[in-house]
C-alpha cells in the first residue's frame, strides 16, 4: 500500500496519510508507474469516493475526468467549471486517496499567465499530473460536437506556460499535453503538435477522438514517447482490448466515463424500482450496509478514534 502524499490525516484503507520525501511525491510515483513495462489501465474518477473505489480495485493511477467532474456538479463538459472549483474538487480527491491523480485542467482557464497559476494551484492541491489542451475556449468534450483548436503558435505558448510553471514551481509534475487537432484539423497536424509539445517538455501525449484504428496507429507511429488513449464507450474512438492498444503503441488506456455512466445507470434502475413502491426489490440492488460503511471510512475512523479516548 502506498503512503498518502498530502500532509494531514485521512482514513482510507486504514492508512494514516503522512508527508513523504521528495522521491515519493505524486508526480515521481506516476513517472515510476509509467516507466514499468506494459500498458497502464486508468479508470477515471469523478469524486473522492470513485477514486477510492479505483484504488481499492487495485489500479495504480486515476484521472479526474473533466466531463465526469462537471457532471457531478450538474454541468455539461463545456468549460463551465472554474479553476477554483476544479482545484477544490481535486483537493478532496487527493486528500482522501493514495494513488497518483492526473487532473484535467482544460485550456488552463485563461491566457498563458492563467495557465501558469493553474499549474501551480493544481500541483499544490496534490496533482501528480496535469493535462492542458489546445481547444478554443470554452472547450467541450472532444467526442461531442467538433470544436476548433487554437493556432499552432498559440498552442505552443499555452504549453510553454504550463511547462515553465512546472519547471519553476513543480519539478516532479507530469505534464499531459492534449490536442484535439485530429478531428478539428488533421491527424498530421495532431502529430505535429504532439511532438512539439514533447520537445518542449511534456511527458505524455494525448490526441483525443481518433475515429479509426488506422488513425490510432498513425498517431502512435508518428508521436514520440508515452501516448494515452481515451477509451470512451460509445464515443468516436474504437474501443479495443488493452492488449491491442499496447500493440498499437499506447502506454495509457483511460476510461473516462465508465464509472460515471455505470453509476448513473444503476441509480436510474434503483429509482425505477423504488417508483413502483415495491421496496423489497430495491435491497438486492444495494451494497451491504456494513460494506458501505467500511468503504466510506467508518471502520478506519473508529479505529483511529480509539487512539484518543480519554481513560
Amino acid at each position: 500500500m502506498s503512503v498518502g502524499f498530502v500532509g494531514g490525516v485521512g482514513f482510507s484503507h486504514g492508512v494514516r496519510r503522512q508527508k513523504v520525501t521528495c522521491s515519493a511525491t505524486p508526480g515521481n510515483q506516476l513517472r515510476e508507474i509509467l516507466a514499468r513495462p506494459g500498458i497502464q489501465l486508468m479508470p477515471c474518477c469523478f469524486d473522492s469516493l470513485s477514486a477510492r473505489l479505483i484504488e481499492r480495485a487495485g489500479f495504480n493511477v486515476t484521472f479526474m475526468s473533466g466531463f465526469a467532474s462537471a457532471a457531478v456538479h450538474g454541468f455539461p463538459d463545456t468549460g463551465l467549471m472554474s479553476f477554483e472549483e476544479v482545484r477544490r474538487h481535486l483537493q478532496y480527491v487527493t486528500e482522501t486517496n493514495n494513488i497518483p491523480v492526473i487532473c484535467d485542467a482544460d485550456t488552463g482557464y485563461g491566457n498563458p499567465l492563467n495557465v501558469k497559476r493553474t499549474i501551480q494551484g493544481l500541483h499544490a492541491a496534490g496533482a501528480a499530473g496535469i493535462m492542458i489542451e489546445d481547444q478554443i475556449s470554452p472547450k467541450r468534450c472532444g467526442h461531442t460536437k467538433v470544436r476548433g483548436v487554437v493556432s499552432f503558435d498559440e498552442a505552443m505558448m499555452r504549453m510553454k506556460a504550463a511547462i515553465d510553471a512546472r519547471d519553476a514551481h513543480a519539478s516532479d509534475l507530469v505534464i499531459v499535453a492534449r490536442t484535439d487537432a485530429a478531428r478539428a484539423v488533421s491527424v498530421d497536424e495532431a502529430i505535429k503538435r504532439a511532438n512539439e509539445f514533447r520537445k518542449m517538455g511534456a511527458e505524455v501525449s494525448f490526441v483525443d477522438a481518433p475515429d479509426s484504428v488506422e488513425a490510432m496507429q498513425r498517431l502512435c507511429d508518428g508521436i514520440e514517447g508515452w501516448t494515452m488513449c481515451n477509451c470512451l464507450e460509445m464515443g468516436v474512438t474504437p474501443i479495443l482490448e488493452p492488449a491491442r492498444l499496447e500493440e498499437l503503441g499506447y502506454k495509457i488506456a483511460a476510461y473516462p466515463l465508465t464509472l460515471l455512466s455505470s453509476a448513473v445507470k444503476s441509480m436510474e434502475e434503483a429509482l425505477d424500482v423504488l417508483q413502483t413502491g415495491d421496496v423489497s426489490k430495491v435491497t438486492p440492488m444495494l451494497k451491504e450496509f456494513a460494506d458501505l460503511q467500511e468503504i466510506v471510512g467508518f471502520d478506519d475512523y473508529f479505529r483511529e478514534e480509539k487512539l484518543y479516548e480519554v481513560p
Side-chain angles (χ1 to χ4, degrees), residues 67-77 80-81:
F67 185 119
S69 297
V72 298
H73 284 79
F75 303 125
D77 183 20
L80 293 174
M81 285 188 71

Side-chain angles (χ1 to χ4, degrees), residues 108-284:
Y109 310 103
N111 69 16
L113 297 185
N114 293 97
V115 172
K116 294 182 78 169
R117 181 168 184 257
T118 294
I119 296 298
Q120 294 174 47
L122 297 182
H123 177 258
I130 297 174
M131 186 173 78
I132 295 289
E133 64 187 71
D134 63 357
Q135 277 198 52
I136 294 170
S137 183
K139 60 74 49 95
R140 62 168 57 109
C141 169
H143 291 250
T144 57
K145 295 176 67 175
V146 177
R147 186 158 179 83
V149 293
V150 298
S151 70
F152 179 86
D153 289 341
E154 185 175 348
M156 294 306 114
M157 287 301 101
R158 185 180 291 174
M159 195 59 61
K160 182 179 187 303
I163 291 163
D164 285 349
R166 187 270 311 274
D167 293 345
H169 304 285
S171 61
D172 65 310
L173 186 70
V174 175
I175 296 291
V176 180
R178 166 177 165 173
T179 178
D180 286 67
R183 285 193 80 193
V185 185
S186 68
V187 170
D188 287 340
E189 178 67 13
I191 292 171
K192 176 183 175 183
R193 292 186 180 213
N195 282 328
E196 286 301 316
F197 292 153
R198 178 170 174 76
K199 288 176 184 177
M200 295 171 70
E203 293 179 73
V204 178
S205 298
F206 169 39
V207 178
D208 198 19
D211 59 5
S212 68
V213 175
E214 291 74 21
M216 297 163 75
Q217 186 69 76
R218 282 181 61 197
L219 291 168
C220 289
D221 289 345
I223 297 171
E224 299 178 6
W226 293 328
T227 54
M228 183 170 81
C229 182
N230 197 22
C231 304
L232 197 164
E233 297 90 350
M234 293 171 276
V236 172
T237 302
I239 299 296
L240 306 177
E241 295 294 324
R244 178 62 177 133
L245 292 174
E246 186 175 2
E247 286 178 1
L248 292 177
Y250 285 107
K251 184 63 186 179
I252 305 171
Y255 297 85
L257 299 184
T258 306
L259 295 189
L260 176 67
S261 187
S262 61
V264 169
K265 187 173 187 292
S266 295
M267 287 189 284
E268 287 183 335
E269 290 172 350
L271 290 167
D272 287 343
V273 173
L274 194 60
Q275 187 72 27
T276 69
D278 190 350
V279 296
S280 65
K281 292 182 179 179
V282 175
T283 301

